[in-house]
């Protein structure tokens, strides 16, 4: 199966993991640092880069990214408190639908730099709670054609959606920004789709910036910021390919040239951290059922929910183990497709289905790539009460 091989430090550590030391998440923070540095270098200097903490909020990940990013986007009161503690004094943007009054109060107390407001009701709540000037971006659900969203793995906007305001509702919010009020409208936020390639992302960003400029000019708002969201594509079927950050950076530079006075901000998550992590486990059993081979692994989708959530076969590599100290034949599959499943009592606990392997045996280890984002943190950890995996953060 086409995969992203373990880096040398990650492979060296994986060799030492056995028995109850598995499953384990292995993160190469040196590789993450290099990847983030390349992304920052590909972007225009004046484009702000925020990390969407929901992708992977591990404190070690947050701190490794800190030298390369402008700030962090959080989407709940829990994320807000967690990120503020892990990386104090760094700029935070608070987004997400359904913010509670308790969360808004806490965000105000912690001095959140930007509020991404999703509705007129939320804006009124914020105005009522604020006792000091608050900078706001209105999240807008701009219309997009099916062609523009065609390559999206996940559409967050461009069609009926619980996220953000329809464009015609924005004008109903403008009277709430008064010279003597606490709210200050700084710009527009629009995260419309995830999983797009660089040309499609550039086209969406250009649409958002142009709409923001037109709104600002029509109402004399003097808007200075536009957040075009994240959603840069990560292709799990081709893990050796990556989003074209240089092309996207060039596109953002052109958008900035056409919209003077607007600061562009992006907030990727998955595309920053997915490539730095692996989920390493072992084959507990290898069985055949009605002519099909199944590898039963330690762990499963309660640790790595990504393939179940995205309905794909997760890329992996086999790490052969020669040791076999049992006094019976070693269960194995040879030159045939194998379905890799976990320990849960459900047929949905599948990480990869019908993948051809040269050889896979009980006792071998398997490393699932692209496990640095939306993996452990979106999984149903306590189902069946299996042990939690180990976590290893590598720095050269």
């Amino acid at each position: 199966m086409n995969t992203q091989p373990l880096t040398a430090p990650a492979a060296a550590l994986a060799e030492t993991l056995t028995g109850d030391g598995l499953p384990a998440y292995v993160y190469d923070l040196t590789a993450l640092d290099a990847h983030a540095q390349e992304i920052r270098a590909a972007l225009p200097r004046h484009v702000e880069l925020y990390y969407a903490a929901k992708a992977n909020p591990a404190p070690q990940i947050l701190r490794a990214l800190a030298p390369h990013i402008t700030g962090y986007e959080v989407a709940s009161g829990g994320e807000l408190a967690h990120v503020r503690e892990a990386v104090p004094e760094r700029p935070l943007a608070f987004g997400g639908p359904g913010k509670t009054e308790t969360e808004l109060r806490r965000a105000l107390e912690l001095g959140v730099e930007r509020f991404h407001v999703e509705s007129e009701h939320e804006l009124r709540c914020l105005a009522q709670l604020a006792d000091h000037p608050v900078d706001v971006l209105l999240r807008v659900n701009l219309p997009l054609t099916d062609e523009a969203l065609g390559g999206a793995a996940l559409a967050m906007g461009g069609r009926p959606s619980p996220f953000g305001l329809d464009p015609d509702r924005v004008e109903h919010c403008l009277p709430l920004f008064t010279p003597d009020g606490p709210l200050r409208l700084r710009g527009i936020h629009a995260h419309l789709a995830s999983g797009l390639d660089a040309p499609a992302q550039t086209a969406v960003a250009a649409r958002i910036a142009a709409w923001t400029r037109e709104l600002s000019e029509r109402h004399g708002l003097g808007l200075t910021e536009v957040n075009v969201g994240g959603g840069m594509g990560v292709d799990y079927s081709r893990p050796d390919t990556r989003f074209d950050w240089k092309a996207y950076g060039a596109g953002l530079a052109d958008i900035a040239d056409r919209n003077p006075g607007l600061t562009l901000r992006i907030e990727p998550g998955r595309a920053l951290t997915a490539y730095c992590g692996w989920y390493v486990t072992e084959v507990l059993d290898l069985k055949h059922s009605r002519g099909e081979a199944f590898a039963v692994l330690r762990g499963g989708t309660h640790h790595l929910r990504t393939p179940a959530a995205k309905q794909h076969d997760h890329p992996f590599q086999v790490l052969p183990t020669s040791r076999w100290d049992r006094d019976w034949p070693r269960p194995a599959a040879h030159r045939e497709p194998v379905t890799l499943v976990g320990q849960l009592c459900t047929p949905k606990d599948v990480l990869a289905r019908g993948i051809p392997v040269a050889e896979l045996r009980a006792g071998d280890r398997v490393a699932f790539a692209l496990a640095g984002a939306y993996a452990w943190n979106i999984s149903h950890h306590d189902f069946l009460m299996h042990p939690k995996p180990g976590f290893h953060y590598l720095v050269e």
Side-chain angles (χ1 to χ4, degrees):
M1 184 180 194
N2 185 20
T3 190
Q4 179 200 13
L6 290 155
T7 61
L13 175 66
E15 287 292 329
T16 71
L17 300 175
T18 59
D20 290 340
L22 294 169
Y25 274 94
V26 178
Y27 302 99
D28 189 330
L29 299 185
T30 301
L32 175 60
D33 178 83
H35 180 53
Q37 187 172 347
E38 289 178 2
I39 291 174
R40 181 63 266 182
L43 298 173
R45 183 170 49 84
H46 50 276
V47 169
E48 296 185 350
L49 172 61
Y50 275 58
Y51 171 60
K54 65 179 72 67
N56 187 332
Q60 296 88 338
I61 297 288
L62 299 176
R63 289 192 284 266
L65 289 171
H68 310 292
I69 64 176
T70 312
Y72 301 84
E73 185 266 341
V74 298
S76 75
E79 281 191 355
L80 169 65
H82 173 81
V83 176
R84 183 61 97 199
E85 180 179 1
V87 278
E89 307 305 323
R90 296 305 302 272
L92 297 182
F94 186 22
K99 302 179 188 70
T100 68
E101 288 194 13
T102 299
E103 289 175 323
L104 291 173
R105 284 194 189 94
R106 186 59 175 150
L108 291 166
E109 291 169 1
L110 291 176
V112 164
E113 281 73 13
R114 292 292 181 274
F115 285 79
H116 298 164
V117 174
E118 299 259 349
S119 71
E120 183 178 345
H121 169 68
E122 183 181 302
L123 191 65
R124 291 183 181 277
C125 287
L126 183 59
Q128 187 176 62
L129 294 170
D131 59 0
H132 60 267
V134 177
D135 291 327
V136 170
L137 301 186
L138 292 177
R139 181 171 180 178
V140 182
N141 178 14
L142 295 179
L144 288 178
T145 65
D146 288 341
E147 181 181 1
L149 291 172
L154 191 66
M156 309 290 287
R159 56 189 62 168
S161 169
F163 303 108
L165 293 144
D166 284 353
D168 61 348
R169 298 304 304 176
V170 171
E171 299 190 10
H172 292 265
C173 294
L174 297 183
L176 297 176
F177 298 95
T178 60
D180 57 345
L183 305 185
R184 301 184 297 200
L185 181 59
R186 296 302 190 191
I188 296 298
H189 174 282
H191 175 49
L192 301 177
S194 293
L196 298 177
D197 61 15
Q201 280 282 10
T202 302
V204 170
R207 167 87 175 94
I208 298 167
W211 189 89
T212 301
R213 187 190 68 244
E214 190 276 332
L215 174 76
S216 182
E217 292 174 349
R218 176 157 38 97
H219 293 280
L221 300 175
L223 300 182
T224 57
E225 301 175 14
V226 58
N227 186 323
V228 298
M232 294 73 187
V234 171
D235 191 341
Y236 290 87
S237 67
R238 296 189 302 155
D240 55 337
T241 64
R242 299 199 182 186
F243 184 80
D244 191 341
W245 287 100
K246 289 185 177 179
Y248 187 54
L252 291 178
D254 181 63
I255 294 170
D257 288 343
R258 287 185 278 119
N259 296 275
L262 276 182
T263 295
L264 295 180
R265 184 177 301 129
I266 64 173
E267 51 184 38
R270 189 191 310 267
L272 268 171
T273 63
Y275 302 97
C276 79
W278 292 262
Y279 177 66
V280 182
T281 188
E282 71 170 333
V283 181
L284 295 174
D285 199 357
L286 199 302
K287 61 175 71 175
H288 287 78
S289 174
R290 301 191 179 188
E292 295 187 20
F294 293 86
V296 182
L297 312 178
R298 281 184 187 258
T301 56
H302 55 301
H303 291 169
L304 178 66
R305 187 163 175 75
T306 319
K310 293 184 68 64
Q311 295 292 296
H312 68 225
D313 298 316
H314 209 86
F316 66 89
Q317 69 182 103
V318 177
L319 307 175
T321 303
S322 59
R323 181 179 177 183
W324 180 254
D325 55 8
R326 310 287 189 178
D327 58 2
W328 55 81
R330 190 174 185 179
H334 301 280
R335 294 179 296 279
E336 60 182 307
V338 178
T339 293
L340 282 67
V341 303
Q343 294 174 283
L344 301 181
C345 301
T346 168
K348 295 184 178 182
D349 188 18
V350 178
L351 290 93
R353 190 181 301 276
I355 306 301
V357 298
E359 183 178 62
L360 186 60
R361 306 162 296 178
D364 284 340
R365 281 160 297 158
V366 177
F368 290 90
L370 275 63
Y374 295 110
W376 167 251
N377 58 306
I378 65 165
S379 302
H380 47 305
H381 306 155
D382 294 326
F383 184 47
L384 288 193
M385 301 178 71
H386 283 293
K388 291 178 170 55
F391 293 86
H392 304 272
Y393 299 89
L394 307 178
V395 180
E396 289 183 354

